[in-house]
Amino acid sequence: MEWYEVGLGLLGLLMLLIGIGLPIPFALAAASLPFLWQIQTFETSLVSSQLKLWGVWIDYILLAVPLFVFLGELIGKSNIGPNLYQFLHQGFRLRGSAAYGSIGACAGFGAVCGSSMVGSLTIGGVALPEMLRLGYGKKLSSGVLAAGGTLSVLLPPSLILLFYGIVTDQSIGDLFIAGVIPGLILVTMFCIVVMIWGILRPDDIPAQEHAVRMGLFQIAATVGPIALIGLVITVAIYAGIATPTEAAAVAALLTVILAFGVGGLRWDGFRDAALSTMRTMGYLGLLLSAGTLFGFVLTYYRVPYEFTQFFLAFDLSPYVVLTIVLLFYILLGMFLEPVSMTFITLPTIFPLMAAAGFDLIWFGVVYTITMEIAVLTPPVGLNLYVIQGISRGQVTIGEVITGCLPFIAALVVLIFVLILIPETALWLPEQMK
């Protein structure tokens, strides 16, 4: 079979299976099998499929994924994450402190947890009722929390950057450090959005907020755990002391100790965190396994290579290629969640970006930002439904979507900044070397 027949056949069959309601991991595997049977007998394909799937489950690098997920769940089930929001809200006396505190808390949470949805759920569960009680506008309250959750997938450690590094065979440490400066810029831009919002729609931000200040012990118990966990992850990886997997293991153990010691975690919360991690990894594990099988079929038929050569034959400008790819991901992000997109499309797209002359570490950051946009765009924007769900009917999905629009614009501006000044992402990894 020709490569384009395989590529179009895989894509068409995959969309058909997803369209009839088959879960994405099973759709990926089912779409791959007919083409696998073209190159192997049925019996041989069963054995090779089992080997491919098992190879994913015992991959040492991938062990970092459940560890980071578990770490985030522990913080979410303890008081560490909610207390961080309370500290940032109550510790600074300025108009809009709850909105700025939400952004800061999401950024702090992102420094220890790589999941956008967990970030929105943890901080939003505390911040949204508080902001609505204080008199913040529904659109601003929901928008800032849905968008704030995306900071977790840009600031290290990031699950999306971790998956990107696995698929593209890039240094995970370099990818993590490359996200730091863009992540800090994005935090600043989100704060600017809130400030401008307050100027244009002053009724959405109360003039005064009545909140009790925290004591020194409470502040130490709030800021200390987040700072310590983030420091352990950062120093261990970037100083070469440990691999990302080892750093994740040490950080997870430290989080257990801190969550029980100062975070008010109880055994019920620990059990819930473990069960939530297993549920998440049950889905992610199947998705990773099916994605590996899908990628094997693509690679065997040389679809990524031939697609790259076909695209380059048009002699398009590298930035035209980049624009097409980004528009493709933004459109696709309206219908698929980021992890699925990573394993379905990235094996074909990243060779094209490398051939166009783009640094794959830099593209990893740009790619992650497009994934942030994906979780904020309907009809399948995960963060939109998380925030709408925790509002308990106080906020409509339309208000969440409208509230996210200025923050989506900030994400688009950040992409332009990275295109105009690539050193924004590349400078820090170069300095670390």
Side-chain angles (χ1 to χ4, degrees):
M1 298 178 70
E2 296 293 335
W3 70 271
Y4 55 85
E5 294 175 329
V6 174
L8 292 174
L10 276 170
L11 184 61
L13 187 54
L14 178 63
M15 292 299 104
L16 174 64
L17 294 170
I18 293 174
I20 63 176
L22 196 65
I24 291 176
F26 296 106
L28 275 170
S32 306
L33 289 177
F35 298 92
L36 187 64
W37 293 334
Q38 296 293 318
I39 55 179
Q40 296 177 347
T41 64
F42 179 77
E43 292 79 8
T44 304
S45 67
L46 286 178
V47 175
S48 62
S49 297
Q50 291 168 7
L51 291 174
K52 288 287 179 186
L53 303 185
W54 179 246
V56 170
W57 286 90
I58 62 172
D59 192 315
Y60 176 73
I61 296 176
L62 287 175
L63 186 57
V65 178
L67 290 168
F68 280 129
V69 171
F70 183 52
L71 187 155
E73 291 289 348
L74 285 171
I75 293 175
K77 295 295 187 295
S78 69
N79 296 326
I80 295 175
N83 284 348
L84 180 62
Y85 164 74
Q86 295 294 350
F87 164 69
L88 292 170
H89 170 204
Q90 298 171 5
F92 300 93
R93 299 291 183 178
L94 73 160
R95 185 168 178 265
S97 63
Y100 297 122
S102 298
I103 295 170
C106 288
F109 192 86
V112 295
C113 170
S115 171
S116 173
M117 189 171 67
V118 174
S120 287
L121 190 61
T122 301
I123 304 301
V126 178
L128 185 59
E130 177 72 2
M131 292 179 72
L132 294 176
R133 182 187 68 80
L134 291 169
Y136 281 81
K138 293 181 179 180
K139 293 178 182 178
L140 174 61
S141 302
S142 56
V144 76
L145 290 167
T150 66
L151 295 169
S152 295
V153 298
L154 188 56
L155 291 167
S158 162
L159 292 183
I160 296 298
L161 285 173
L162 180 61
F163 291 142
Y164 176 92
I166 291 168
V167 173
T168 62
D169 197 28
Q170 298 297 303
S171 166
I172 293 170
D174 285 350
L175 286 166
F176 280 179
I177 199 69
V180 171
I181 293 178
L184 295 176
I185 292 174
L186 189 59
V187 171
T188 304
M189 292 172 71
F190 280 1
C191 290
I192 292 172
V193 168
V194 172
M195 183 178 66
I196 295 173
W197 192 310
I199 295 171
L200 298 179
R201 303 190 64 176
D203 292 342
D204 282 352
I205 298 180
Q208 292 183 338
E209 300 176 23
H210 302 287
V212 180
R213 288 183 179 274
M214 282 185 168
L216 290 177
F217 176 77
Q218 287 178 298
I219 292 174
T222 297
V223 179
I226 294 289
L228 186 57
I229 296 166
L231 188 66
V232 166
I233 295 172
T234 304
V235 172
I237 294 176
Y238 305 128
I241 299 172
T243 65
T245 300
E246 293 164 346
V250 173
L253 178 60
L254 178 61
T255 303
V256 171
I257 296 170
L258 292 173
F260 275 109
V262 298
L265 185 69
R266 297 292 179 263
W267 284 110
D268 287 347
F270 181 83
R271 182 195 61 198
D272 291 344
L275 291 174
S276 295
T277 301
M278 286 188 279
R279 282 193 294 268
T280 300
M281 287 311 303
Y283 176 81
L284 287 180
L286 288 172
L287 184 60
L288 288 166
S289 301
T292 299
L293 190 63
F294 191 82
F296 170 74
V297 173
L298 284 174
T299 304
Y300 180 87
Y301 285 100
R302 296 166 56 88
V303 173
Y305 174 80
E306 296 292 349
F307 176 77
T308 300
Q309 297 306 310
F310 171 77
F311 214 95
L312 294 178
F314 290 99
D315 199 26
L316 299 175
S317 161
Y319 291 100
V320 173
V321 175
L322 178 64
T323 302
I324 293 171
V325 168
L326 293 180
L327 290 175
F328 164 75
Y329 273 123
I330 290 173
L331 179 64
L332 190 63
M334 295 180 180
F335 305 98
L336 288 178
E337 45 84 24
V339 179
S340 298
M341 280 193 285
T342 300
F343 288 98
I344 292 172
T345 65
L346 204 53
T348 302
I349 295 297
F350 89 83
L352 174 62
M353 302 312 298
F358 293 106
D359 186 285
L360 288 181
I361 297 294
W362 172 88
F363 179 66
V365 177
V366 174
Y367 173 81
T368 301
I369 296 170
T370 63
M371 296 301 102
E372 292 179 302
I373 295 174
V375 298
L376 297 177
T377 50
V380 192
L382 294 179
N383 284 21
L384 304 177
Y385 297 102
V386 167
I387 297 300
Q388 195 271 334
I390 62 178
S391 74
R392 301 181 187 279
Q394 292 182 274
V395 182
T396 66
I397 191 65
E399 288 171 328
V400 183
I401 294 169
T402 305
C404 286
L405 293 178
F407 298 98
I408 293 174
L411 290 164
V412 173
V413 170
L414 181 58
I415 290 176
F416 278 109
V417 170
L418 286 166
I419 292 172
L420 294 173
I421 313 173
E423 290 77 14
T424 306
L426 296 177
W427 180 79
L428 198 54
E430 290 172 356
Q431 298 304 308
M432 296 299 291
K433 294 177 181 179

